[in-house]
Amino acid sequence: MKRDAMKHQGSRLELTCEQNVHKLKSIDLIGEISGESGRQIQRYIRLTELIFQLMEKADEKSIPVTAGTELSYIGLEN
């Protein structure tokens, strides 16, 4: 549920500097409301980039959020 809510935060691409500041404040605000840090919220959002099988493992807490975040940066070659 957290993942779905945070997924709607949108992309940071093509944002002006002022919009980036607003975006960061939004992430910190969401973190404050949920009792998490802004950085942890960013990690949850990044988990949405995982393939489905790894996303399930992160949801089940079979892999830690930080490990899932790092795995999300590994690209698949076609």
Side-chain angles (χ1 to χ4, degrees):
M1 189 170 167
K2 257 187 194 179
R3 182 185 72 231
D4 292 335
M6 289 177 236
K7 186 176 179 180
H8 296 289
Q9 284 297 302
S11 173
R12 290 181 149 210
L13 300 176
E14 300 179 29
L15 295 177
T16 66
C17 188
E18 183 178 315
Q19 288 171 318
N20 273 334
V21 170
H22 177 69
K23 185 77 156 179
L24 290 174
K25 288 180 183 177
S26 297
I27 288 173
D28 289 334
L29 180 60
I30 291 169
E32 188 176 315
I33 291 169
S34 66
E36 304 275 355
S37 69
R39 182 67 187 126
Q40 188 68 9
I41 299 303
Q42 289 174 325
R43 288 184 188 107
Y44 289 138
I45 292 169
R46 184 64 200 181
L47 289 176
T48 64
E49 301 296 322
L50 288 172
I51 61 171
F52 181 74
Q53 292 85 350
L54 289 176
M55 197 180 307
E56 279 187 324
K57 295 287 184 188
D59 285 344
E60 297 166 354
K61 296 182 176 32
S62 296
I63 59 173
V65 171
T66 52
T69 301
E70 294 300 319
L71 288 170
S72 74
Y73 288 100
I74 298 174
L76 297 176
E77 294 184 29
N78 293 329

